[in-house]
Amino acid sequence: MESLDFIFSADGPLAENIPGYRMRTQQLEMAKAIESAIKADQQLVAEAGTGTGKTFAYLIPALLSGGKVIVSTGTKTLQDQLFNRDLPAVRDALKVPVTVAMLKGRANYVCHFHLDRAMKEGRFISREDANYVHKIQAFAEHSATGDKSELTDVPETATIWPSVTSTRDNCLGQECSFYKDCFVMEARKKALAADVVVVNHHLFFADVMLRDEGVTELLPSANTVIFDEAHQLPEIAGIFFGDDVSTSQLMELARDAHAEFITTAKDCLALPEATAALEKSVRDFRLIFAYEGARMPVQKALALNNFESAYAMMQEKLSALTEVLESQAERDPALESCWQRGLALQQKLNSWQKADNANLVRWVEVFTQSVQLHATPLSVAEGFGKQLNAQPRSWIFTSATLAVKSDFSHYLGQMGLGDAQTGYWNSPFDYGQQALLYVPQKMPEPSSSIYTASVAAAALPVIQASGGRAFVLCTSLRAMREIHALLKEAFESNGMEYPLLIQGDSSRSELLERFRKLGNAVLVGSQSFWEGVDVRGEALSAVIIDKLPFAPPDDPVLAARIDKMNSEGKNAFMEYQLPYAVITLKQGAGRLIRDETDRGVLMICDPRLITKHYGKRIWQSLPPFRRSRELADVEAFFVEQAEAI
C-alpha cells in the first residue's frame, strides 16, 4: 500500500488526478493521526481550520483501512456532496476497489404505498400539489433510488411530500404490498453491502436510539465511524437521547386513519368523527400558544390559560380514536399500524405529563402549525458513552470548531469522550494578510434599548466601504428583522443601491445563489447562515456579527444545565456558556475566508469582546486576523483590496 506521504505529495495520485490539489502539511498530519486512530481502534477528536482539507484527510485513511466505514455529516447537502463528488474523486485517484452507499432518513424517499394512496384519494392542499403528484409518480416509476433530492422539479418545501413519503410511525414494513419495491429497503440493502456508507447525524442518532433498522444494522460491522461537522453532535444527540412527542404526529395519525376510512373502512362511520375530533383538539391546543418560535420551560407552559384542559382534551380524543382503530385493526395492516401508533402516542403524552425521569428537562417548542413537547437529558455523555464502548472500533470526530484556544475539555466532557486522543491543526491561510477583525468603539452594552440601532448605524459605513458584499449575522430573529428594517431605511435615505436580502424570503440555497450572482448584495440572517455556508471570492467581503452568541439564558435546557453545574460547585459560565459562545462565534467568523485568495473584514459589534475579562479568551480562539478599532483601517483595507485587483 502506498504511504500517506506519497499520496499527499506534490507528485502523488491526488495531485495527478484532482484539479487544484496542493500539498498542505496540516492535511497530511491530520490524515496520519486518523490512520493511527483507525489502526488502534481509538477515539480521536480533531479540529482542522478552514482550508486544511479535512474531508480528504479523513477519507483517504478510511478508504485505505480495508474495513467498513460509516461517515456521518451535519446536513443532507454535505451528504450529497460527499457521496457524489468527494468520495468518487478520492476513490478514483487512489484506484481502491471500495463500494460506496448513501443512506438517508425514510422521509427522503418516495413511498410507493403512500404515493398510491394519495393518487387514489385525490385530496390535495393546492393545485400545485395535484400537479406535483404526477411528477412524483413518473419519477418513482423510473428512479433507481427514489431519493427526492434527485427530483428538482418539485421543491423540497412542497406540501405534497408528507403525503407521498413514509415516517417511522406509518411505515407498514413487511406487511406493505409494495415491500419488494421499497426504496428505503433497497437503500438499506446497498448500505449493508457497501464498504463506505454516508449518513447524516440526525439519521445516525434516530436509528441508534430508536432501534430502527438502518444504522443499527450497520454499526455492528463497522470498524470506523467518522463524524464530520462534529460540533453539532451534542445538540442533535440531546434530541434523540430524550423523549419527545409532537402534535404533528397526532395530525398525521388522524390523516392516515381518515385515508383508511376512505379506502378500507367506508362502513365505519365512527372513524371520520374520531379523526375530526382529534384534529380539532390538536388545533385548539396550538391556539393556546401566542406565536411561533417560542421555547419555554414546562412551568411557563403549564401556567398558560387552558393548557391542562386542552392537553387533557387531546389525550381524550386520541384515546377515543385509538379505541375505534382497535375495533377495525384486523381488517387491514394499515389500520392495525394506525392502532399501534395511537397506543404509542397515548403512552408518550402520558409519559411527558408524568415526568418520571429526573434527568430529563421538560420544555415546549412552538411552530407555525404544531407544538413539540420535549424531554431532553441534562447530559448526553453517559448515553453516548455506552455506544462508544459497545465494541472495539475507531471513532473520529472532526470540525473546524471544537476547541476553545486549542483546549478540547468542553467538547470531551459534553460527549463523554474521556479516553479520546485530540489533534489541533491551524488553517493554512495567511489570516494576517487576508483579513481584518474590527471592533467598533463607543458601542453601548448589548442589554441597552438602543443596541440594535447602534449595530445598524455602525455597520453602515463598513457596508459602504465594502461595496455591499456583506453578511450581517444576528443572534436572534428579532434582531435580524430590526436590523434589516433599519438598513433598508438607511440605504434609501443615503442612496445606497445595494440589494438587501433577508433570511426567510426564500430557501437558504436560493438566497445564497442570488447573493453570489448579484455580487454586491447584503444578506441579513440568523442561525441558518452562521454555519454550513460557503461563499468564495469577492461576493462576500465583510461579515458583521451583532453580538457574542451566548445561548439565551431563558433557554429551558440551558437554564437547567446551568443550575445543575452550579449546584455541583462548577462555574457554569466559564465551563459551559463561554465555550458554547466561542464555538458558535468561530462558526460565524469562518464564513469570511474560504480560500487562499479571499480577503475581508470581520466586524464584531459587541463591546464585551474588549471590556470583559473573558473577551481575550474569545478573540484568542478566533483566527489570527489583524485587529483594529478604527473605521479608517477598515476603509483603507478595502481601498488596498480594490487596488490589488
Side-chain angles (χ1 to χ4, degrees), residues 69-85:
V69 180
I70 297 174
V71 181
S72 183
T73 69
T75 62
K76 286 180 285 188
T77 307
L78 277 172
Q79 206 181 344
D80 288 332
Q81 181 184 306
L82 254 181
F83 180 73
N84 295 315
R85 191 186 76 187

Side-chain angles (χ1 to χ4, degrees), residues 531-568:
E531 64 174 278
V533 171
D534 191 9
V535 179
R536 295 173 189 232
E538 291 173 37
L540 180 57
S541 296
V543 170
I544 299 165
I545 292 175
D546 71 332
K547 271 186 201 177
L548 296 177
F550 289 105
D554 58 351
D555 180 274
V557 181
L558 176 68
R561 284 178 180 151
I562 289 170
D563 288 346
K564 183 171 186 285
M565 289 181 81
N566 288 338
S567 70
E568 292 168 351

Side-chain angles (χ1 to χ4, degrees), residues 79 103 114 118 125 127 148 152 190 194 228 325 330-331 333 374 377 387 400 409 424 430 454 547 586 605 614 630 644:
Q79 206 181 344
L103 191 59
H114 287 96
I125 293 170
R127 191 174 292 152
K148 69 180 190 183
T152 50
K190 284 181 178 166
D228 198 347
L325 288 166
E330 288 184 359
R331 296 175 71 161
H374 296 278
Q387 296 299 327
S409 54
Y424 183 86
D430 185 354
S454 303
K547 271 186 201 177
K586 283 167 73 174
C605 300
Y614 55 77
E630 302 294 334

Side-chain angles (χ1 to χ4, degrees), residues 59-74:
L59 281 182
I60 287 160
L63 292 186
L64 295 175
S65 68
K68 184 161 187 121
V69 180
I70 297 174
V71 181
S72 183
T73 69

Side-chain angles (χ1 to χ4, degrees), residues 29-69:
E29 287 175 2
M30 183 180 174
K32 285 181 174 178
I34 290 170
E35 180 183 58
S36 173
I38 291 174
K39 283 179 177 170
D41 284 335
Q42 286 179 326
Q43 300 160 13
L44 172 67
V45 178
E47 177 170 315
T50 310
T52 305
K54 62 183 167 63
T55 307
F56 283 13
Y58 66 70
L59 281 182
I60 287 160
L63 292 186
L64 295 175
S65 68
K68 184 161 187 121
V69 180

Side-chain angles (χ1 to χ4, degrees), residues 112 115 134-144 183:
H112 292 293
L115 173 60
H134 293 289
K135 292 184 176 183
I136 294 169
Q137 186 182 38
F139 170 73
E141 284 171 7
H142 299 106
S143 172
F183 288 124

Side-chain angles (χ1 to χ4, degrees), residues 108-127:
N108 293 279
Y109 301 96
V110 176
C111 168
H112 292 293
F113 173 80
H114 287 96
L115 173 60
D116 180 64
R117 195 174 68 178
M119 295 293 290
K120 282 176 180 166
E121 279 180 46
R123 292 194 314 159
F124 302 109
I125 293 170
S126 65
R127 191 174 292 152

